[in-house]
Coordinates of all heavy atoms in Angstrom, one line a residue:
A108 N -16.6 23.6 -11.8 CA -17.2 24.7 -12.3 C -16.9 24.8 -13.8 O -15.9 24.4 -14.3 CB -16.5 26.0 -11.7
A109 N -18.0 25.2 -14.7 CA -17.8 25.1 -16.1 C -18.4 26.2 -16.7 O -19.3 26.9 -16.1 CB -18.4 23.7 -16.5
G110 N -18.1 26.4 -17.9 CA -18.7 27.3 -18.8 C -19.8 26.6 -19.7 O -19.6 25.5 -20.2
F184 N -8.9 30.9 -20.9 CA -10.2 30.5 -21.4 C -10.2 30.2 -22.8 O -9.3 30.5 -23.6 CB -11.2 31.5 -20.9 CG -11.5 31.5 -19.5 CD1 -11.0 32.5 -18.7 CD2 -12.3 30.5 -18.8 CE1 -11.3 32.5 -17.3 CE2 -12.5 30.5 -17.5 CZ -12.1 31.6 -16.8
E185 N -11.3 29.6 -23.4 CA -11.5 29.4 -24.8 C -11.7 30.7 -25.6 O -12.1 31.7 -25.0 CB -12.6 28.4 -25.0 CG -12.6 27.2 -24.3 CD -12.8 27.2 -22.8 OE1 -13.4 28.1 -22.4 OE2 -12.2 26.4 -22.1
V201 N -18.0 23.4 -21.1 CA -16.5 23.3 -21.2 C -15.9 23.6 -19.9 O -16.4 24.4 -19.1 CB -16.0 24.2 -22.3 CG1 -16.6 23.9 -23.7 CG2 -16.3 25.7 -22.0
G202 N -14.7 22.9 -19.6 CA -13.9 23.2 -18.4 C -12.6 22.6 -18.4 O -12.2 22.1 -19.5
M203 N -11.9 22.8 -17.3 CA -10.4 22.4 -17.4 C -10.1 21.4 -16.4 O -8.9 21.2 -15.9 CB -9.7 23.7 -17.0 CG -10.0 24.9 -17.8 SD -9.1 26.4 -17.1 CE -9.9 27.7 -18.0
T226 N -20.9 28.5 -14.4 CA -20.6 29.8 -13.8 C -20.7 30.9 -14.9 O -20.7 32.1 -14.5 CB -19.2 29.9 -13.2 OG1 -18.2 29.4 -14.2 CG2 -19.0 29.0 -12.1
N227 N -20.8 30.6 -16.1 CA -20.8 31.5 -17.2 C -21.1 30.9 -18.4 O -21.1 29.7 -18.6 CB -19.4 32.2 -17.4 CG -18.3 31.2 -17.6 OD1 -17.9 30.5 -16.6 ND2 -17.9 31.0 -18.8
L237 N -14.2 36.7 -19.8 CA -14.3 35.8 -18.7 C -13.2 35.9 -17.7 O -12.1 36.5 -18.1 CB -14.2 34.3 -19.4 CG -15.5 33.6 -19.9 CD1 -16.2 34.6 -20.7 CD2 -15.1 32.5 -20.6
T242 N -15.8 33.0 -12.0 CA -15.9 31.6 -11.7 C -16.2 31.3 -10.2 O -17.1 30.8 -9.7 CB -14.7 30.8 -12.1 OG1 -14.5 30.9 -13.5 CG2 -14.9 29.2 -11.8
Ligands
HPA1 N1 -14.2 27.6 -19.7 C1 -13.3 26.8 -19.1 N2 -13.5 26.4 -17.8 C2 -14.3 27.1 -17.1 C3 -15.2 28.2 -17.7 C4 -15.2 28.3 -19.0 O1 -15.9 29.2 -19.5 N3 -16.0 28.6 -16.6 C5 -15.6 27.9 -15.5 N4 -14.4 27.1 -15.8

Side-chain angles (χ1 to χ4, degrees):
F184 285 108
E185 300 74 29
V201 294
M203 307 175 192
T226 55
N227 56 281
L237 274 47
T242 302

